[in-house]
Amino acid sequence: MFPRGRYLVALGRSWHPEEFTCSQCKAVLEEGGFFEERGSVYCTKCHDNRYAPNCAKCKKKITGEIMHALKMTYHVQCFKCAACKNPIRNQAFYMEEGEPYCERVP
Ligand SMILES: [Zn+2]
Ligand SMILES: [Zn+2]
Ligand SMILES: [Zn+2]
């Protein structure tokens, strides 16, 4: 018999809600608000951190808005015009000596 109380069912077993915590930051997980990975569970934040791609420029993890360019991923702030320093985002750009430039008319 299960003792009474609120239970979460996850990974094929039931858990006391207070025992069902993120493997990394130990935050108490909510039903539906976790990710499973090889028998461990992670909160959304830690999961995003683990799987976030690295920025090709500064090598840090990208959370939030991602810029895809030249088959690489960048922070939006890291992929900017070498001349005017504005983020290029989804504007047209061209490459010159390995640096991106926006197509703003000078
Ligand atoms: Zn966590
Ligand atoms: Zn970056
Ligand atoms: Zn520019």
Side-chain angles (χ1 to χ4, degrees), residues 81-86 101-104:
C81 172
C84 68
K85 311 292 182 204
N86 283 315
Y101 290 85
C102 67
E103 280 200 324
R104 216 156 292 174

Side-chain angles (χ1 to χ4, degrees), residues 6-66:
R6 189 171 158 253
Y7 278 86
L8 284 173
V9 179
L11 317 182
R13 53 169 285 201
S14 35
W15 310 68
H16 281 117
E18 67 272 18
E19 287 169 354
F20 192 58
T21 55
C22 173
S23 304
Q24 196 158 318
C25 71
K26 309 295 176 205
V28 174
L29 299 168
E30 286 297 319
E31 212 161 348
F34 64 89
F35 291 87
E36 182 192 341
E37 169 76 17
R38 284 185 233 110
S40 299
V41 283
Y42 297 94
C43 66
T44 315
K45 211 175 92 201
C46 292
H47 182 268
D48 283 359
N49 267 327
R50 280 166 71 86
Y51 293 98
N54 288 317
C55 172
K57 179 100 178 180
C58 70
K59 317 291 183 212
K60 294 196 179 112
K61 298 263 188 201
I62 307 172
T63 51
E65 210 179 339
I66 295 177

